């Protein structure tokens, strides 16, 4: 497995080994022993995933930016099984040198990249194709009462979403009333 560090400490891009033959291809998308060995190499604690989530989105659907308050912050391991998304992670760890910095990366069924997002990040994504199927593992259970939603276009974060100005994005009711980062208690 190829591991690429990003410019935000702890945020990793993983590329699985793909084995092709006349039947198609095979990959091991998750191996607990290997994954925790990778985390240890980057001075991160081992994790225990407790929940798998799946989401299917139409083109122009934007989900996020979502975050759970302490002590319910979730680490996530994401991948796209069908279609493609522009995935964004925002560092909300107040003691981090990259606090309030973000990265965006295309994840797709074609590139088979995974994104490891440690606990303490807000997360969201824009579906770039119809029927984009995203799956992700989390280290904590979803707790609705501790979920925060930050505006996808927050003026302080200045996230550069790949959005055509002639197209309307599709937001959930929750995401439509999201707050500015400056107004939230993390």
């Amino acid at each position: 497995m190829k591991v690429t560090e990003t410019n935000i400490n702890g945020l990793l891009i993983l590329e699985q080994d793909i084995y092709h033959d006349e039947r198609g291809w095979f990959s091991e998308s998750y191996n607990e022993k290997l994954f925790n060995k990778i985390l240890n190499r980057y001075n991160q604690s081992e994790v225990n995933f407790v929940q798998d989530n799946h989401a299917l989105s139409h083109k122009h659907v934007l989900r996020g930016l979502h975050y759970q308050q302490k002590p319910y912050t979730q680490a996530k391991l994401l991948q796209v099984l069908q279609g493609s998304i522009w995935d964004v992670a925002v560092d909300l760890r107040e003691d981090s040198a990259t606090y309030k910095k973000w990265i965006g990366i295309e994840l797709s069924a074609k590139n088979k990249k995974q994104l490891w997002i440690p606990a303490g990040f807000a997360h969201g994504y824009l579906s770039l194709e119809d029927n984009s199927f995203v799956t992700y593992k989390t280290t904590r259970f979803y707790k609705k009462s501790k979920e925060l939603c930050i505006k996808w276009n927050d003026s302080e974060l200045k996230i550069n979403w790949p959005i055509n100005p002639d197209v309307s994005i599709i937001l959930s009711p929750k995401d439509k009333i999201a707050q500015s980062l400056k107004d939230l208690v993390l």
Side-chain angles (χ1 to χ4, degrees):
M1 177 175 291
K2 179 182 174 188
V3 180
T4 304
E5 291 183 82
T6 67
N7 61 354
I8 297 180
N9 186 36
L11 206 59
L12 303 173
I13 299 166
L14 309 171
E15 295 179 64
Q16 308 161 35
D17 295 323
I18 309 294
Y19 303 97
H20 296 270
D21 66 20
E22 65 279 355
R23 299 169 294 167
W25 59 268
F26 170 85
S27 75
E28 188 175 75
S29 64
Y30 176 72
N31 176 307
E32 180 181 53
K33 186 176 178 181
L34 175 61
F35 186 71
N36 282 318
K37 185 177 179 181
I38 289 168
L39 292 183
N40 288 332
R41 190 175 345 143
Y42 292 95
N43 299 315
Q44 296 188 49
S45 301
E46 293 185 358
V47 299
N48 179 41
F49 292 112
V50 298
Q51 184 173 316
D52 279 2
N53 298 321
H54 298 178
L56 183 73
S57 298
H58 302 297
K59 189 173 185 176
H60 309 301
V61 166
L62 195 148
R63 297 179 185 262
L65 300 161
H66 301 151
Y67 174 81
Q68 285 192 179
Q69 292 172 300
K70 295 176 186 175
Y72 301 99
T73 56
Q74 295 176 314
K76 298 175 181 177
L77 178 62
L78 291 101
Q79 68 181 38
V80 173
L81 300 179
Q82 177 178 298
S84 62
I85 64 170
W86 179 254
D87 200 273
V88 172
V90 180
D91 190 351
L92 296 180
R93 303 170 296 179
E94 293 176 294
D95 60 345
S96 171
T98 54
Y99 179 56
K100 297 184 183 178
K101 302 292 183 204
W102 62 272
I103 68 145
I105 180 175
E106 184 173 335
L107 301 177
S108 70
K110 186 175 181 178
N111 71 23
K112 297 178 180 45
K113 292 179 180 179
Q114 294 179 318
L115 183 63
W116 165 246
I117 304 173
F121 283 74
H123 173 252
Y125 60 88
L126 172 68
S127 179
L128 302 174
E129 298 179 43
D130 275 328
N131 300 314
S132 291
F133 180 42
V134 177
T135 182
Y136 59 99
K137 298 177 170 307
T138 66
T139 56
R140 294 220 191 268
F141 294 107
Y142 173 71
K143 188 156 182 77
K144 185 176 182 164
S145 65
K146 295 298 181 180
E147 182 182 35
L148 301 175
C149 191
I150 301 166
K151 286 183 181 181
W152 66 274
N153 58 352
D154 186 274
S155 60
E156 184 177 359
L157 296 175
K158 296 181 176 98
I159 295 171
N160 186 20
W161 296 93
I163 297 174
N164 180 333
D166 298 330
V167 173
S168 296
I169 60 167
I170 303 164
L171 298 170
S172 71
K174 171 177 68 174
D175 292 337
K176 285 180 181 177
I177 61 168
Q179 295 181 287
S180 296
L181 179 60
K182 66 181 170 79
D183 296 330
L184 293 174
V185 177
L186 303 175

